[in-house]
């Protein structure tokens, strides 16, 4: 691949690129990821999205190049790891040997349940580092913005509850565990715009009272995940 040769040359001959490390690249990875998100959400032209994807890919290639220099792994290993994972996790599409099954589900719920079951099987397999009981919140990326973190925590807990009980629509049990209750004066929100306005009002209230809204929500998610972990024993 031409790109790998270019990055190898830069790591060899460019003093700035040569000094990059996994740690020093983190800020660029975050920045480039958000620039891609912005381009998608703003519906920018395809060539701009392509450019932002290229910038994200650069981060992957740089990390792989640094690892290769230390004898850990290289870009081909990363690609192979992803290939194996996609086959393993998408067992509603692939057989264990990577061949296509030939008959595929149409239900999104069935597909998500299959993915979650495959992920759970990996974590519960004997000899794995993560060991016995499956915790659906264990692998949550803690550096996500608080709203995204909260949404993912509730979503994973809801799907786990549905798989455990065989019941659909498990959002309500997850919400109760998080301490939420449906009160008579609960705001009636018709769409995402109204939800956004309501969230902005909550942030304004937090500012008036000297509270940190990000920290408050992150703390609530931590308490919620702790509750789920205790429930799992």
């Amino acid at each position: 691949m031409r790109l790998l040769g270019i990055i190898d040359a830069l790591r060899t001959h460019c003093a700035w690129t040569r000094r990059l490390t996994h740690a020093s690249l983190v800020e660029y990875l975050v920045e480039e990821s958000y620039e891609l998100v912005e381009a998608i959400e703003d519906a920018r032209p395809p060539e701009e999205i392509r450019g932002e994807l290229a910038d994200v890919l650069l981060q992957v290639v740089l990390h792989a190049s640094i690892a290769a220099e230390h004898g850990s792994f290289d870009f081909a290993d990363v690609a192979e790891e992803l290939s194996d994972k996609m086959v393993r996790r998408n067992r509603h599409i692939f057989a264990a040997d990577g061949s296509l099954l030939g008959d595929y589900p149409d239900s999104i719920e069935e597909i998500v349940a299959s993915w979650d079951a495959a992920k759970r099987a990996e974590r519960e397999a004997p000899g794995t580092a993560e060991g016995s009981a499956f915790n659906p919140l264990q692998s949550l990326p803690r550096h996500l913005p608080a709203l995204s973190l909260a949404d993912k925590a509730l979503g994973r807990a809801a799907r786990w509850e549905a798989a455990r009980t065989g019941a659909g629509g498990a959002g309500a049990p997850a919400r109760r565990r998080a301490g939420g209750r449906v009160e008579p004066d609960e705001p009636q929100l018709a769409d995402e715009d109204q939800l956004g306005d309501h969230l902005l009002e909550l942030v304004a209230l937090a500012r008036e009272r000297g509270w940190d809204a990000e920290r408050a929500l992150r703390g609530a998610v931590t308490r919620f995940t702790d509750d789920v972990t205790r429930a799992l024993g």
Side-chain angles (χ1 to χ4, degrees), residues 211-229:
W211 298 337
D212 184 322
E214 173 83 9
R215 185 172 62 235
L217 181 55
R218 195 170 290 279
V221 174
T222 298
R223 293 190 295 276
F224 172 62
T225 56
D226 287 346
D227 288 345
V228 171
T229 300

Side-chain angles (χ1 to χ4, degrees), residues 31 36 42 80 82 99 104 121 127 135-136 144 150 153 163-164 171 177 209 215:
E31 180 182 347
L36 173 59
D42 291 350
E80 189 65 19
L82 179 57
S99 60
Y104 315 108
N135 184 340
L144 280 174
R164 186 180 67 85
R177 281 198 301 271
R209 300 189 179 183
R215 185 172 62 235

Side-chain angles (χ1 to χ4, degrees), residues 153-166:
L154 291 170
R156 289 190 186 186
R159 295 201 305 273
W160 170 77
E161 181 78 5
R164 186 180 67 85
T165 63

Side-chain angles (χ1 to χ4, degrees), residues 93-95 97-104:
I93 301 295
F94 300 104
D97 63 0
S99 60
L100 292 172
L101 295 175
D103 184 32
Y104 315 108

Side-chain angles (χ1 to χ4, degrees), residues 2-231:
R2 178 180 172 222
L3 174 60
L4 298 182
I6 291 171
I7 298 303
D8 182 62
L10 287 171
R11 289 287 294 174
T12 302
H13 303 294
C14 173
W16 185 85
T17 307
R18 188 167 56 247
R19 288 189 177 93
L20 292 172
T21 65
H22 288 307
S24 68
L25 278 169
V26 168
E27 64 174 296
Y28 301 108
L29 176 60
V30 172
E31 180 182 347
E32 300 297 357
S33 298
Y34 275 113
E35 287 182 2
L36 173 59
V37 170
E38 186 176 305
I40 293 171
E41 291 185 343
D42 291 350
R44 293 181 187 168
E47 57 270 20
E48 289 193 34
I49 295 177
R50 181 185 64 199
E52 298 300 345
L53 282 168
D55 290 340
V56 173
L57 177 59
L58 171 61
Q59 301 304 307
V60 176
V61 175
L62 281 169
H63 279 288
S65 178
I66 292 167
E69 292 164 11
H70 290 85
S72 303
F73 57 83
D74 59 16
F75 184 80
D77 295 324
V78 174
E80 189 65 19
E81 177 80 15
L82 179 57
S83 298
D84 290 344
K85 183 176 182 178
M86 289 298 97
V87 169
R88 193 171 63 246
R89 293 278 179 90
N90 290 283
R91 56 191 188 183
H92 59 288
I93 301 295
F94 300 104
D97 63 0
S99 60
L100 292 172
L101 295 175
D103 184 32
Y104 315 108
D106 292 323
S107 164
I108 299 299
E109 290 77 10
E110 187 177 350
I111 293 170
V112 171
S114 175
W115 173 280
D116 286 343
K119 190 173 181 179
R120 185 165 57 250
E122 289 175 17
R123 299 228 166 96
E124 292 177 343
T128 57
E130 306 204 1
S132 53
F134 173 68
N135 184 340
L137 308 183
Q138 188 172 36
S139 61
L140 275 174
R142 300 298 175 185
H143 287 78
L144 280 174
L147 277 174
S148 296
L149 183 62
D151 181 71
K152 283 190 174 294
L154 291 170
R156 289 190 186 186
R159 295 201 305 273
W160 170 77
E161 181 78 5
R164 186 180 67 85
T165 63
R175 186 178 176 191
R176 283 198 296 273
R177 281 198 301 271
R181 289 188 174 84
V182 179
E183 301 291 349
D185 60 349
E186 180 179 346
Q188 300 300 309
L189 306 174
D191 53 34
E192 285 191 357
D193 287 344
Q194 291 186 17
L195 172 62
D197 292 340
H198 182 62
L199 290 172
L200 186 60
E201 290 171 3
L202 290 176
V203 175
L205 174 64
R207 283 179 54 81
E208 288 174 6
R209 300 189 179 183
W211 298 337
D212 184 322
E214 173 83 9
R215 185 172 62 235
L217 181 55
R218 195 170 290 279
V221 174
T222 298
R223 293 190 295 276
F224 172 62
T225 56
D226 287 346
D227 288 345
V228 171
T229 300
R230 279 194 293 273

